[in-house]
Amino acid sequence: MNIGSIELGNRPVFLAPMEDVTDIAFRLLCKSFGADMVYSEFVSADALIRYVNKSMNKLTLCEQERPVAIQIYGRDVDSMVNAAKIVQEAKPDVLDLNFGCPVKKVAGKGGGAGLLQNIPLMLEITRAVVKAVDIPVTVKTRLGWNDESKIIVELAEQLQDCGIAALTVHGRTRAQMYTGEADWTLIGKVKENPRMRIPIIGNGDITTPERAKECFDRYGVDAIMIGRASFGRPWIFKEVKHYIETGELLDGITPQWQIDVLKKQAEQSIERLGEHGGILHIRRHLAASPVFKGIPDFRRTRIEMLRAEHKDELFEILDKIGAML
């Protein structure tokens, strides 16, 4: 599979863009476990054109994470075009347009999935951004606004006609947010459409290696994208890649090995954000990690872990958990 001139191999697996999650440290960690392409946190076009420091910092990339995409969102043509030009200066391999974020502060103001209610504007933004930059432009969106407007098959053709190099489809509507099950049948219909020439990337509810392979086999997508399942489990890319290549589950992912990876991730977070900020940042990953599922009477220890404020305290708790496993 290629995006523009970027070769990504057969059945590539991507790390999805996620706010407050896919910072450079986490991208590098997922890359080390086999993610074929990684995406930045989404960046506000309005903030970029005002050169807001926090948003500008999200454009920081390094060679070791390539190929890497930067994703932007916005609600008008001029700000998206100007932001795209700023992003191009950061030299990502791909520029991704977010037309899928469902949260109220984005979609409710007309950005992200909000543009599913204004398709002419979505297409105008896409055409203008493609024309404004020299790097491949891709789009990530959803099936539609709600169950009554699942327009993705037609929309995919329209976006392709705007000149995008690939399309990622999350198998939910905006109304679903992150609830219910992702509908991969519609993703499959987009891929089956004989008029589609660009790669189709499927996203939504890929939580196991078996499901990852099934999505390739059953729906024919060119790539898959893993999001929330990577929380507290960045090694999922290693598991998925091994299963796709061999049809067998990966051995050697012991609980202690997993604990050591989480400690490494915590150290990287602390190094980047300082002790207080780094521990706050890592809590989301620790809270979601499957490592701790099934431990008897774990509730009290989990609370201690998520309340830890210092590295030594957190690592002592993680070592105690490791001894339980």
Side-chain angles (χ1 to χ4, degrees):
M1 172 191 161
N2 286 25
I3 295 180
S5 62
I6 304 162
E7 296 183 3
L8 294 157
N10 185 42
R11 294 192 164 189
V13 183
F14 299 162
L15 170 66
M18 292 176 284
E19 175 68 359
D20 291 329
V21 176
T22 53
D23 57 39
I24 190 169
F26 189 63
R27 298 196 303 266
L28 284 168
L29 190 59
C30 292
K31 191 76 176 181
S32 74
F33 287 119
D36 292 290
M37 188 158 78
V38 295
Y39 286 66
S40 72
E41 304 171 73
F42 71 177
V43 193
S44 163
D46 289 338
L48 282 181
I49 63 177
R50 290 185 286 113
Y51 291 92
V52 174
N53 283 339
K54 183 178 179 181
S55 295
M56 294 299 294
N57 289 339
K58 291 180 181 179
L59 305 187
T60 301
L61 307 174
C62 71
E63 290 302 311
Q64 293 90 333
E65 61 179 314
R66 294 189 184 280
V68 56
I70 291 177
Q71 187 187 74
I72 61 173
Y73 72 95
R75 56 184 178 180
D76 68 80
V77 175
D78 288 344
S79 64
M80 287 289 277
V81 165
N82 290 328
K85 292 177 179 178
I86 293 169
V87 167
Q88 181 168 247
E89 293 176 5
K91 294 182 170 55
D93 299 285
V94 171
L95 169 62
D96 192 61
L97 306 182
N98 181 320
F99 298 145
C101 178
V103 299
K104 187 175 181 180
K105 70 177 183 179
V106 175
K109 295 179 179 179
L115 284 160
L116 287 165
Q117 292 188 301
N118 190 344
I119 299 303
L121 178 57
M122 179 194 291
L123 300 177
E124 186 181 0
I125 288 171
T126 305
R127 280 191 296 267
V129 170
V130 169
K131 185 177 179 181
V133 298
D134 298 323
I135 55 178
V137 176
T138 60
V139 163
K140 186 172 190 284
T141 190
R142 290 183 169 234
L143 304 179
W145 181 256
N146 55 29
D147 284 344
E148 289 70 47
S149 61
K150 292 182 178 179
I151 58 173
I152 189 58
V153 176
E154 177 186 357
L155 176 60
E157 285 192 49
Q158 294 173 305
L159 288 166
Q160 177 178 256
D161 291 344
C162 293
I164 65 171
L167 173 66
T168 301
V169 181
H170 180 97
R172 289 181 173 86
T173 64
R174 190 273 172 173
Q176 282 182 274
M177 302 291 286
Y178 296 103
T179 62
E181 293 184 1
D183 180 1
W184 275 75
T185 59
L186 278 176
I187 299 175
K189 286 182 179 179
V190 172
K191 179 58 188 174
E192 291 167 5
N193 183 348
R195 290 182 289 275
M196 294 303 296
R197 303 178 305 277
I198 60 174
I200 302 302
I201 304 155
N203 174 228
D205 294 349
I206 299 176
T207 59
T208 66
E210 297 93 330
R211 179 58 174 163
K213 186 173 185 299
E214 180 186 22
C215 288
F216 277 119
D217 292 344
R218 180 177 293 185
Y219 304 106
V221 292
D222 299 284
I224 58 172
M225 183 177 282
I226 296 176
R228 289 173 293 161
S230 67
F231 288 10
R233 189 186 176 187
W235 55 85
I236 190 173
F237 297 95
K238 185 180 181 73
E239 295 175 295
V240 165
K241 298 280 285 187
H242 180 82
Y243 190 81
I244 288 172
E245 292 167 4
T246 68
E248 298 178 355
L249 294 175
L250 182 65
D251 291 329
I253 305 293
T254 65
Q256 186 56 58
W257 182 89
Q258 294 171 339
I259 292 287
D260 290 343
V261 171
L262 293 177
K263 288 169 71 175
K264 177 182 178 181
Q265 186 179 351
E267 286 179 334
Q268 292 173 336
S269 182
I270 290 167
E271 181 178 345
R272 188 177 69 89
L273 299 171
E275 187 171 45
H276 178 70
I279 288 176
L280 285 177
H281 181 74
I282 198 65
R283 283 177 180 172
R284 174 183 293 192
H285 297 267
L286 295 175
S289 181
V291 176
F292 311 121
K293 291 181 179 178
I295 299 177
D297 304 317
F298 185 65
R299 184 173 180 274
R300 180 181 298 178
T301 305
R302 183 178 186 276
I303 291 171
E304 289 177 5
M305 177 178 67
L306 298 180
R307 286 180 176 173
E309 297 183 354
H310 301 286
K311 174 184 170 181
D312 291 345
E313 178 187 4
L314 176 60
F315 279 25
E316 183 178 343
I317 295 168
L318 288 173
D319 288 338
K320 183 172 70 173
I321 295 170
M324 298 178 185
L325 300 171

PDB file of all heavy atoms in Angstrom, residues 14 25 39 60 76 109 114 161 221 238 264 282 313:
ATOM      1  N   PHE A  14      -1.737   1.239  11.603  1.00  0.00           N
ATOM      2  CA  PHE A  14      -1.438   2.620  11.978  1.00  0.00           C
ATOM      3  C   PHE A  14      -1.891   2.916  13.406  1.00  0.00           C
ATOM      4  O   PHE A  14      -2.864   2.338  13.895  1.00  0.00           O
ATOM      5  CB  PHE A  14      -2.167   3.601  11.043  1.00  0.00           C
ATOM      6  CG  PHE A  14      -1.798   3.487   9.587  1.00  0.00           C
ATOM      7  CD1 PHE A  14      -2.625   4.036   8.619  1.00  0.00           C
ATOM      8  CD2 PHE A  14      -0.635   2.857   9.176  1.00  0.00           C
ATOM      9  CE1 PHE A  14      -2.308   3.952   7.265  1.00  0.00           C
ATOM     10  CE2 PHE A  14      -0.302   2.769   7.828  1.00  0.00           C
ATOM     11  CZ  PHE A  14      -1.143   3.314   6.874  1.00  0.00           C
ATOM     12  N   ALA A  25       6.417  11.008  22.351  1.00  0.00           N
ATOM     13  CA  ALA A  25       6.943   9.870  23.106  1.00  0.00           C
ATOM     14  C   ALA A  25       6.109   8.622  22.858  1.00  0.00           C
ATOM     15  O   ALA A  25       6.651   7.527  22.659  1.00  0.00           O
ATOM     16  CB  ALA A  25       6.978  10.203  24.594  1.00  0.00           C
ATOM     17  N   TYR A  39       0.288   8.997  13.920  1.00  0.00           N
ATOM     18  CA  TYR A  39      -0.378  10.285  13.713  1.00  0.00           C
ATOM     19  C   TYR A  39      -0.238  11.141  14.962  1.00  0.00           C
ATOM     20  O   TYR A  39      -0.317  10.643  16.094  1.00  0.00           O
ATOM     21  CB  TYR A  39      -1.876  10.077  13.437  1.00  0.00           C
ATOM     22  CG  TYR A  39      -2.193   9.532  12.069  1.00  0.00           C
ATOM     23  CD1 TYR A  39      -1.809   8.250  11.694  1.00  0.00           C
ATOM     24  CD2 TYR A  39      -2.893  10.293  11.135  1.00  0.00           C
ATOM     25  CE1 TYR A  39      -2.103   7.734  10.444  1.00  0.00           C
ATOM     26  CE2 TYR A  39      -3.204   9.790   9.878  1.00  0.00           C
ATOM     27  CZ  TYR A  39      -2.805   8.507   9.536  1.00  0.00           C
ATOM     28  OH  TYR A  39      -3.106   8.003   8.302  1.00  0.00           O
ATOM     29  N   THR A  60       6.082  19.170  16.511  1.00  0.00           N
ATOM     30  CA  THR A  60       7.444  18.662  16.665  1.00  0.00           C
ATOM     31  C   THR A  60       7.509  17.198  16.257  1.00  0.00           C
ATOM     32  O   THR A  60       6.767  16.355  16.773  1.00  0.00           O
ATOM     33  CB  THR A  60       7.918  18.804  18.123  1.00  0.00           C
ATOM     34  OG1 THR A  60       7.871  20.174  18.496  1.00  0.00           O
ATOM     35  CG2 THR A  60       9.336  18.281  18.286  1.00  0.00           C
ATOM     36  N   ASP A  76     -13.341  26.472   8.646  1.00  0.00           N
ATOM     37  CA  ASP A  76     -13.454  27.364   7.496  1.00  0.00           C
ATOM     38  C   ASP A  76     -12.242  27.196   6.592  1.00  0.00           C
ATOM     39  O   ASP A  76     -11.180  26.722   7.015  1.00  0.00           O
ATOM     40  CB  ASP A  76     -13.626  28.824   7.925  1.00  0.00           C
ATOM     41  CG  ASP A  76     -12.386  29.378   8.585  1.00  0.00           C
ATOM     42  OD1 ASP A  76     -11.452  29.747   7.866  1.00  0.00           O
ATOM     43  OD2 ASP A  76     -12.344  29.426   9.833  1.00  0.00           O
ATOM     44  N   LYS A 109     -19.128  23.110  17.176  1.00  0.00           N
ATOM     45  CA  LYS A 109     -18.767  24.410  16.623  1.00  0.00           C
ATOM     46  C   LYS A 109     -18.509  24.349  15.113  1.00  0.00           C
ATOM     47  O   LYS A 109     -18.000  25.294  14.528  1.00  0.00           O
ATOM     48  CB  LYS A 109     -17.534  24.952  17.339  1.00  0.00           C
ATOM     49  CG  LYS A 109     -17.774  25.245  18.819  1.00  0.00           C
ATOM     50  CD  LYS A 109     -16.512  25.763  19.497  1.00  0.00           C
ATOM     51  CE  LYS A 109     -16.756  26.080  20.976  1.00  0.00           C
ATOM     52  NZ  LYS A 109     -15.530  26.551  21.656  1.00  0.00           N
ATOM     53  N   GLY A 114     -18.566  17.770  12.814  1.00  0.00           N
ATOM     54  CA  GLY A 114     -19.579  18.782  12.532  1.00  0.00           C
ATOM     55  C   GLY A 114     -19.716  19.070  11.050  1.00  0.00           C
ATOM     56  O   GLY A 114     -20.794  19.441  10.570  1.00  0.00           O
ATOM     57  N   ASP A 161     -12.478  12.775  -5.292  1.00  0.00           N
ATOM     58  CA  ASP A 161     -12.472  13.738  -6.396  1.00  0.00           C
ATOM     59  C   ASP A 161     -11.803  15.055  -6.015  1.00  0.00           C
ATOM     60  O   ASP A 161     -11.391  15.822  -6.902  1.00  0.00           O
ATOM     61  CB  ASP A 161     -13.902  14.003  -6.872  1.00  0.00           C
ATOM     62  CG  ASP A 161     -14.526  12.803  -7.575  1.00  0.00           C
ATOM     63  OD1 ASP A 161     -13.773  11.889  -7.969  1.00  0.00           O
ATOM     64  OD2 ASP A 161     -15.765  12.776  -7.708  1.00  0.00           O
ATOM     65  N   VAL A 221      -9.956  -3.872   3.475  1.00  0.00           N
ATOM     66  CA  VAL A 221      -9.323  -2.562   3.609  1.00  0.00           C
ATOM     67  C   VAL A 221      -7.832  -2.648   3.312  1.00  0.00           C
ATOM     68  O   VAL A 221      -7.221  -3.707   3.423  1.00  0.00           O
ATOM     69  CB  VAL A 221      -9.563  -1.962   5.014  1.00  0.00           C
ATOM     70  CG1 VAL A 221     -11.027  -1.601   5.208  1.00  0.00           C
ATOM     71  CG2 VAL A 221      -9.088  -2.925   6.110  1.00  0.00           C
ATOM     72  N   LYS A 238       2.762  -4.950  17.957  1.00  0.00           N
ATOM     73  CA  LYS A 238       3.628  -6.139  17.830  1.00  0.00           C
ATOM     74  C   LYS A 238       2.775  -7.404  17.757  1.00  0.00           C
ATOM     75  O   LYS A 238       3.032  -8.296  16.939  1.00  0.00           O
ATOM     76  CB  LYS A 238       4.574  -6.194  19.037  1.00  0.00           C
ATOM     77  CG  LYS A 238       5.622  -7.297  19.011  1.00  0.00           C
ATOM     78  CD  LYS A 238       6.479  -7.208  20.273  1.00  0.00           C
ATOM     79  CE  LYS A 238       7.567  -8.276  20.307  1.00  0.00           C
ATOM     80  NZ  LYS A 238       8.652  -7.976  19.355  1.00  0.00           N
ATOM     81  N   LYS A 264       8.572   2.123  31.384  1.00  0.00           N
ATOM     82  CA  LYS A 264       9.354   2.865  30.383  1.00  0.00           C
ATOM     83  C   LYS A 264       8.528   4.023  29.832  1.00  0.00           C
ATOM     84  O   LYS A 264       9.036   5.143  29.657  1.00  0.00           O
ATOM     85  CB  LYS A 264       9.777   1.923  29.255  1.00  0.00           C
ATOM     86  CG  LYS A 264      10.543   2.610  28.134  1.00  0.00           C
ATOM     87  CD  LYS A 264      10.896   1.619  27.029  1.00  0.00           C
ATOM     88  CE  LYS A 264      11.616   2.319  25.884  1.00  0.00           C
ATOM     89  NZ  LYS A 264      11.936   1.362  24.778  1.00  0.00           N
ATOM     90  N   ILE A 282       0.304   9.946  32.144  1.00  0.00           N
ATOM     91  CA  ILE A 282       0.355   8.486  32.007  1.00  0.00           C
ATOM     92  C   ILE A 282      -0.833   7.802  32.665  1.00  0.00           C
ATOM     93  O   ILE A 282      -1.142   6.639  32.382  1.00  0.00           O
ATOM     94  CB  ILE A 282       1.685   7.947  32.607  1.00  0.00           C
ATOM     95  CG1 ILE A 282       1.992   6.524  32.088  1.00  0.00           C
ATOM     96  CG2 ILE A 282       1.642   7.945  34.123  1.00  0.00           C
ATOM     97  CD1 ILE A 282       2.263   6.461  30.622  1.00  0.00           C
ATOM     98  N   GLU A 313       7.013   6.492  43.985  1.00  0.00           N
ATOM     99  CA  GLU A 313       5.780   5.943  44.537  1.00  0.00           C
ATOM    100  C   GLU A 313       5.050   5.112  43.485  1.00  0.00           C
ATOM    101  O   GLU A 313       4.586   3.986  43.765  1.00  0.00           O
ATOM    102  CB  GLU A 313       4.891   7.095  45.023  1.00  0.00           C
ATOM    103  CG  GLU A 313       3.547   6.668  45.581  1.00  0.00           C
ATOM    104  CD  GLU A 313       2.651   7.868  45.873  1.00  0.00           C
ATOM    105  OE1 GLU A 313       3.040   9.010  45.572  1.00  0.00           O
ATOM    106  OE2 GLU A 313       1.538   7.628  46.394  1.00  0.00           O
TER     107      GLU A 313
END
